[in-house]
Amino acid sequence: AARFENPYDYDKILENDRLNVTGLSSFAPGKPLTLEIIHADKPAEKISLAHSFTEEQIAWFKAGSALNLMKGK
């Protein structure tokens, strides 16, 4: 699961914001992801997200599901 490294970052997200998760091309255990918050009325912000995904779970994610990964093998 992903979580905010700083729990107070959750309060930065506003109702009309758009969100982008970046860093997925180098998604790896122990390496944080970045959440870009694109605000409608002020500059965008980037915050760090920690996660607890294992190598296997990351492979499932990249394949679209565990079933897709198994189908490809």
Side-chain angles (χ1 to χ4, degrees), residues 2-70:
R3 63 175 166 62
F4 295 98
E5 285 192 347
N6 176 351
Y8 297 105
D9 284 340
Y10 175 81
D11 296 327
K12 294 178 180 181
I13 300 172
L14 306 173
E15 182 178 348
N16 293 320
D17 289 345
R18 289 183 309 150
L19 306 175
N20 290 325
V21 177
T22 61
L24 293 171
S25 61
S26 58
F27 194 12
K31 185 174 180 182
L33 297 169
T34 301
L35 177 67
E36 180 183 27
I37 307 168
I38 303 168
H39 300 291
D41 60 346
K42 58 184 179 179
E45 295 183 66
K46 292 184 178 182
I47 60 173
S48 188
L49 299 175
H51 66 85
S52 59
F53 287 88
T54 65
E55 281 287 344
E56 184 178 43
Q57 291 168 325
I58 291 169
W60 296 346
F61 175 82
K62 289 182 176 182
S65 72
L67 292 175
N68 286 345
L69 186 63
M70 293 181 343

